[in-house]
Amino acid sequence: MIHTRNLQKIYQRGEYVKYALQNINVDINEGEYLIIHGPSGSGKTTLLGLLGLIDAPSGGEIFFKGTEVGYISDRARDKIRRNRITFVFEKIHLLENLTVSENIALPLMYSSYTRKEKKQIVHRLLDRFRLTHLKRQYPSGLGNLMQQKIALARACCCSPDLILADEPCGKLSSEETDEFMELFRQLNEEGQTIVVATHSEENIKYGQRVLHLFDGHVVSHSGFVR
Ligand SMILES: Nc1ncnc2c1ncn2[C@@H]1O[C@H](COP(=O)(O)OP(=O)(O)OP(=O)(O)O)[C@@H](O)[C@H]1O
């Protein structure tokens, strides 16, 4: 689905030059569950930004479904990404003035689904993530695990090709992390392609494959953990 060849990202501002990623070669195939692991500053967020077509590389190539997407316009990249690649972040970005159902439905706002179809999709997701009893509540009254489940349900709303998660359990206890990562595992078993970036060695065990980053380089790449 996504392939990179000698991918490079350099941040440059005046005297400041940072080689955030160098010669990254990674292949993410449909249905895979990849963990990107590395310490703070190793380049995980930068790599997710490139894989998620949010950012442009400084060098190398990146292919999404066979098409080179590194050097196309931001607008063209946005168009390819829209509803096909979704994100879950450490900081849980829910809208406080919308109910749980309305938050989950947000990506459907400009879709061509009918009202009835939208309702059915949200109903299915509420059920899938065991959030039905909370559907009329507002996020601020809920704990971090519930809020992160809502964010994941929202990320699933448009049946994306790829879900990218950046330190999704950063605000969760170890028990909550188990429960949340189990949801990723189940989604992956149903065929969802997932990439999770984490600094936690504990979280490596949840993925199928691990890419270890250090100082912007891939230092090792291990297969099929499960
Ligand atoms: N917008 C930016 N401008 C300048 N330097 C940046 C920028 N974004 C990241 N960097 C630098 O690039 C390097 C990689 O950062 P990145 O955030 O990708 O690492 P990370 O592994 O995700 O770290 P963390 O786990 O702390 O989020 C770091 O040295 C960081 O300071």
Side-chain angles (χ1 to χ4, degrees):
M1 182 184 294
I2 295 194
H3 306 281
T4 76
R5 291 293 169 261
N6 301 320
L7 200 64
Q8 194 179 46
K9 183 70 186 178
I10 305 168
Y11 294 110
Q12 202 158 6
R13 225 179 305 119
E15 299 278 284
Y16 174 89
V17 180
K18 176 75 198 178
Y19 287 80
L21 289 174
Q22 291 200 69
N23 297 324
I24 305 291
N25 294 302
V26 57
D27 297 318
I28 301 165
N29 297 311
E30 258 168 57
E32 279 198 316
Y33 181 179
L34 174 72
I35 302 270
I36 298 172
H37 173 257
S40 182
S42 56
K44 303 181 296 294
T45 300
T46 302
L47 183 53
L48 284 192
L50 295 175
L51 296 175
L53 313 190
I54 283 186
D55 211 354
S58 312
E61 294 169 301
I62 178 161
F63 298 90
F64 179 71
K65 297 197 168 192
T67 304
E68 215 294 319
V69 290
Y71 306 99
I72 59 179
S73 69
D74 289 350
R75 205 165 155 205
R77 208 180 295 115
D78 284 351
K79 202 168 162 201
I80 294 174
R81 184 185 65 236
R82 199 171 304 141
N83 296 336
R84 292 167 77 183
I85 303 179
T86 57
F87 290 83
V88 177
F89 298 99
E90 177 176 8
K91 190 169 185 312
I92 309 166
H93 301 278
L94 297 175
L95 296 186
E96 298 296 336
N97 57 338
L98 298 184
T99 64
V100 169
S101 286
E102 290 164 346
N103 265 287
I104 293 172
L106 268 177
L108 296 172
M109 193 181 279
Y110 299 109
S111 71
S112 55
Y113 291 114
T114 64
R115 245 176 98 102
K116 191 173 167 202
E117 285 169 336
K118 287 179 188 176
K119 262 184 115 164
Q120 283 169 345
I121 291 169
V122 173
H123 179 85
R124 188 173 45 78
L125 288 166
L126 285 164
D127 190 45
R128 168 81 177 71
F129 292 101
R130 299 197 178 151
L131 294 166
T132 306
H133 61 299
L134 302 173
K135 65 182 181 185
R136 290 196 186 84
Q137 292 204 29
Y138 291 88
S140 58
L142 305 173
N144 286 335
L145 175 61
M146 285 303 164
Q147 292 202 26
Q148 200 57 304
K149 282 188 188 180
I150 298 162
L152 180 56
R154 185 179 59 188
C156 292
C157 207
C158 291
S159 308
D161 294 332
L162 173 65
I163 297 178
L164 298 172
D166 195 357
E167 216 67 75
C169 301
K171 290 195 163 36
L172 306 183
S173 69
S174 59
E175 248 172 54
E176 290 173 335
T177 296
D178 265 341
E179 191 176 333
F180 192 72
M181 292 301 268
E182 175 61 18
L183 289 174
F184 276 133
R185 195 191 60 75
Q186 287 169 8
L187 284 170
N188 174 247
E189 274 191 4
E190 292 161 19
Q192 178 68 58
T193 313
I194 299 171
V195 178
V196 173
T198 180
H199 71 273
S200 158
E201 280 201 35
E202 269 296 294
N203 292 347
I204 287 177
K205 62 177 183 277
Y206 298 105
Q208 279 177 337
R209 209 151 59 86
V210 189
L211 187 82
H212 295 276
L213 283 183
F214 191 80
D215 271 353
H217 294 271
V218 174
V219 286
S220 69
H221 199 160
S222 39
F224 296 96
V225 176
R226 264 193 254 138

